[in-house]
Each structure stands twice: as structure tokens, then as C-alpha cells.
Amino acid sequence: MKIGVLAVQGAFAEHIAILNKLGVAALPIRLPPEVVGLDGLIIPGGESTSISKLIRDYHLSDEITSLAGNGLPILGICAGMILMSRRITDSSIEPLGLMAITVRRNAFGRQQESFETELSLPVLGNQPFPGVFIRAPIIEQAESTVDILARLNNTIIAARQGNLVALAFHPELTNDLRFHQYFLSIVAESDRFNLRGSAVAKGN
Ligand code: GLN
């Protein structure tokens, strides 16, 4: 299994370290040819305005959009979630529009720019998950095709639509590997991964 981590700006090194810890090959992605043969992609946290500009400058945005359309599992964290959305209420950046969600940037306000809190994430089991929020966005609205994975005080902070997963918080800044394992299980179950596996087995 080969997972790409978009590495134009932001917290990409932490994801690569966690994937390596889980025994998975992780590749930093900066240029379009590097996405060939990926089984999954992580769009890390950082500054959505910078990442948005850089992926356009590097001609990566069309590539990512078409891979998502072809069923590539993608995990977007914080700025990555902003980029995966269909609409951003308070920014002029044009998101990739991969998920039917509307997001608001920096939604926890100045008093609470960064904080950590225990989250209930039923897809990971009963143990609470450490939620690290850094100038985090929220999901203001999600269409019915989107499954809500977690809320904080009634606000949606994690969602999944098919093989696409978006989180407002940063699992890569904790020692809890469960969210990455969950994403890897989505990759392992994806049609794309399984079809590619059988093509490889047949020698194609
Ligand atoms: N506030 C940042 C933005 O709007 C996101 C912060 C993060 O990724 N930790 O892009």
C-alpha cells in the first residue's frame, strides 16, 4: 500500500512519520507525476490559502479532483478539510469541491485558537480520541450523502463521504494511531485498491 501526503506546506512530516510507524510506505507529493500509483492521499493541515495557491501553481488540483472522482481515498485535515469542501463561507479561496460540505475557517474564535479536548468518535470504538484543534474550521452544513463522524458541542468536526474523510482536528499531533488506522482500513477496502491489487496479481 502506498499513501501520498501532500507536502507543499503544513504538517506533512508528522503524517509520514505515523504511516511509517504503521508499516505503510508514505510519499511526499509535490508534483503531478508523483500521484501515479497512489492508494490513498492525505491533505494535511497548514494554511489553506497557501496550500490552495501552491497546488494550483504546481498543477496538482485537477489531478487531485480527478483521483477523488475515481474513488481514491483522501483524508483532509483542518486546512485539508477546507480544501476538500464545496463551499467556504468566509474566504475567497476556491475549494476543490470534493465533499458536499460547507465549512467556516477559524471558527472557534480568538479565545480558543488552540485547544485539546476528548472526542467521541464511534468509528474508532468507545475510547475517547484526543482532539487537537489549531485555528480549526467547522463543518457548517453537510448534505445527506455525508456521514457525520464526530461533533463537538453540536458542531460537526469530522465527516465521511464515500472514501473521502475530513477532520477539523489533528490526529497526527497525538500518539493515538487509531484515526490513521481507520483511514488505512478505508484504503484497504476501497475498490480502487482491490482492483489494482488483482491487476498486479495478474501481471498487468
Ligand atoms: N486556519 C487554517 C486555515 O484556515 C487551518 C489551520 C490548520 O490547518 N491547523 O487554513
Side-chain angles (χ1 to χ4, degrees), residues 48-117:
S48 51
T49 44
S50 312
I51 300 177
S52 169
K53 181 181 177 327
L54 290 166
I55 58 175
R56 286 195 165 77
D57 289 354
Y58 297 172
H59 305 290
L60 269 168
S61 39
D62 290 346
E63 208 73 46
I64 295 172
T65 308
S66 93
L67 284 167
N70 285 328
L72 183 80
I74 303 181
L75 170 61
I77 309 288
C78 204
M81 168 171 117
I82 295 169
L83 292 171
M84 285 171 81
S85 72
R86 190 173 279 176
R87 201 165 83 81
I88 309 169
T89 52
D90 53 349
S91 170
S92 56
I93 51 175
E94 201 186 306
L96 295 170
L98 310 182
M99 290 179 73
I101 56 174
T102 298
V103 303
R104 181 150 56 90
R105 295 176 67 203
N106 303 326
F108 290 95
R110 289 194 125 218
Q111 302 280 309
Q112 270 195 305
E113 283 215 324
S114 298
F115 60 96
E116 190 167 340
T117 187

Side-chain angles (χ1 to χ4, degrees), residues 33-186:
E34 294 166 344
V35 303
V36 175
L38 290 183
D39 300 308
L41 177 70
I42 297 180
I43 307 179
E47 197 49 52
S48 51
T49 44
S50 312
I51 300 177
S52 169
K53 181 181 177 327
L54 290 166
I55 58 175
R56 286 195 165 77
D57 289 354
Y58 297 172
H59 305 290
L60 269 168
S61 39
D62 290 346
E63 208 73 46
I64 295 172
T65 308
S66 93
L67 284 167
N70 285 328
L72 183 80
I74 303 181
L75 170 61
I77 309 288
C78 204
M81 168 171 117
I82 295 169
L83 292 171
M84 285 171 81
S85 72
R86 190 173 279 176
R87 201 165 83 81
I88 309 169
T89 52
D90 53 349
S91 170
S92 56
I93 51 175
E94 201 186 306
L96 295 170
L98 310 182
M99 290 179 73
I101 56 174
T102 298
V103 303
R104 181 150 56 90
R105 295 176 67 203
N106 303 326
F108 290 95
R110 289 194 125 218
Q111 302 280 309
Q112 270 195 305
E113 283 215 324
S114 298
F115 60 96
E116 190 167 340
T117 187
E118 290 199 336
L119 300 173
S120 160
L121 256 158
V123 289
L124 302 184
N126 291 332
Q127 279 282 343
F129 191 84
V132 175
F133 291 78
I134 304 169
R135 300 202 303 118
I138 55 165
I139 298 176
E140 279 200 339
Q141 196 240 321
E143 283 181 21
S144 56
T145 46
V146 176
D147 293 325
I148 310 304
L149 301 183
R151 293 176 197 263
L152 180 61
N153 306 330
N154 277 332
T155 301
I156 308 169
I157 43 134
R160 173 175 177 181
Q161 182 180 359
N163 290 335
L164 307 173
V165 183
L167 298 185
F169 51 93
H170 290 262
E172 80 285 6
L173 300 181
T174 73
N175 293 320
D176 195 323
L177 305 178
R178 283 179 296 156
F179 207 90
H180 286 79
Q181 285 167 323
Y182 170 68
F183 179 62
L184 295 177
S185 75
I186 293 175

Side-chain angles (χ1 to χ4, degrees), residues 17-39:
I18 292 189
L19 292 169
N20 288 336
K21 214 185 260 183
L22 291 170
V24 172
L27 293 135
I29 303 295
R30 294 189 181 90
L31 297 170
E34 294 166 344
V35 303
V36 175
L38 290 183
D39 300 308

